[in-house]
Amino acid sequence: MQHSNFKNLLLFFSLSFASLSPQQENWQTSADSAMQDITEQAVVVAYDKTIRARCNDCGCKEQGQRGLPGATGATGIPGATGSSVGVTGATGVTGTAIGATGMTGATGMTGVGIIGATGATGATGTTIGATGMTGVTGMTGAAGGLLGYAMFYSLIPNDGIGIIAQSSPIPFKHAGPFGGTAITSNSAGTLFTLAAAGTYEIIWQATQTGSIQFDVFVNGTEQSSTVAGRGSNGQLVGDVLIQTTAANQTISVNVASASLSVFAPVSNAGGGSPGTMTLVIIRWS
């Protein structure tokens, strides 16, 4: 009976490895080899037990020689596949959620960023500041406008003025209107004194014949920048500026040294009344 059960066991194991996958076949090869050794030992043990039991039943004390191992039984039917997933274990204890704060890392390199868009225009500031302090009053400037004037004249032919040669002064024997800075003449009306230094305008006119030039002398020196002339009979007019650098300098209007002819005054020019020669002196500064 025991021998029959053992054969069934061997048959079960043989069937268990009957149809396996290639990987399982590798396992079967190793298992078959181990199973063969186990089987042979198990058969011998089972056989001994059977023989001994029979001998005990018959009272025979003799024991025969051990027989040869029997043939390997057929492979048993594969057993049912075990559960592949075990029971879920209990949830472990929750660890500390926040670890200790680590050391501050080294400062990184400064990045190169793109220039941002221009910001909106700020609010307009106060347009008017506080009024500053009044500045120091400046010095009084020189008075503007005309500072002095005087007019002198002669009547032709009444004043008996004859021929006047080159470089000689023209006589303006009578004083006309005057004002401001003192401008005076000598008794002959040929030399005029300017009381203050400054800029003066000298204006003259006379009727003449021929080609002639007049100019201004300052302190007896002819001023070439003041020459005025005429190339035919008629009225000769001059209007020039001079500048004196000291008080009480003198001027005169002369026949120019380079004049082509002497000066011969024209009597009653243009009508029955006496003609005039005039000189106006104006101080501007």
Side-chain angles (χ1 to χ4, degrees):
M1 182 65 177
Q2 292 177 353
H3 181 66
S4 177
N5 291 335
F6 182 71
K7 289 175 66 177
N8 291 332
L9 178 62
L10 293 178
L11 178 61
F12 171 77
F13 281 108
S14 297
L15 293 176
S16 298
F17 295 97
S19 58
L20 299 175
S21 66
Q23 184 176 5
Q24 290 172 335
E25 287 178 358
N26 291 334
W27 297 342
Q28 181 182 357
T29 302
S30 298
D32 287 347
S33 178
M35 184 59 68
Q36 183 175 357
D37 293 340
I38 296 171
T39 302
E40 290 176 354
Q41 294 176 9
V43 170
V44 171
V45 172
Y47 180 79
D48 287 346
K49 288 183 179 179
T50 303
I51 297 300
R52 287 177 183 175
R54 291 180 178 177
C55 289
N56 289 336
D57 291 340
C58 69
C60 179
K61 303 301 182 181
E62 295 181 355
Q63 181 175 350
Q65 295 180 351
R66 179 181 297 178
L68 295 173
T72 302
T75 302
I77 299 172
T81 302
S83 176
S84 60
V85 180
V87 178
T88 302
T91 302
V93 179
T94 302
T96 303
I98 301 176
T101 302
M103 295 178 63
T104 302
T107 302
M109 296 177 63
T110 301
V112 179
I114 299 173
I115 298 174
T118 302
T121 303
T124 303
T126 303
T127 57
I128 302 176
T131 302
M133 297 177 62
T134 302
V136 178
T137 301
M139 295 177 63
T140 302
L146 185 149
L147 300 180
Y149 64 92
M151 174 184 173
F152 303 92
Y153 64 95
S154 292
L155 297 175
I156 307 300
N158 299 17
D159 289 328
I161 298 174
I163 302 298
I164 301 173
Q166 288 89 340
S167 298
S168 298
I170 309 299
F172 300 94
K173 294 186 174 184
H174 307 284
F178 63 90
T181 302
I183 301 172
T184 58
S185 71
N186 61 3
S187 59
T190 55
L191 194 64
F192 304 89
T193 301
L194 308 177
T199 300
Y200 291 83
E201 183 176 11
I202 313 298
I203 306 168
W204 70 85
Q205 69 83 24
T207 302
Q208 51 81 38
T209 59
S211 297
I212 195 168
Q213 291 179 330
F214 287 1
D215 59 12
V216 176
F217 282 52
V218 177
N219 292 333
T221 302
E222 189 174 21
Q223 307 297 306
S224 61
S225 62
T226 65
V227 176
R230 184 179 176 94
S232 61
N233 296 344
Q235 188 180 42
L236 175 62
V237 178
D239 188 346
V240 298
L241 290 176
I242 64 168
Q243 188 169 27
T244 60
T245 57
N248 297 317
Q249 291 189 334
T250 60
I251 67 166
S252 62
V253 176
N254 294 27
V255 177
S257 61
S259 177
L260 294 179
S261 63
V262 298
F263 174 54
V266 177
S267 299
N268 305 106
S273 298
T276 60
M277 300 187 302
T278 58
L279 171 66
V280 177
I281 302 174
I282 301 172
R283 180 190 173 198
W284 292 108
S285 68

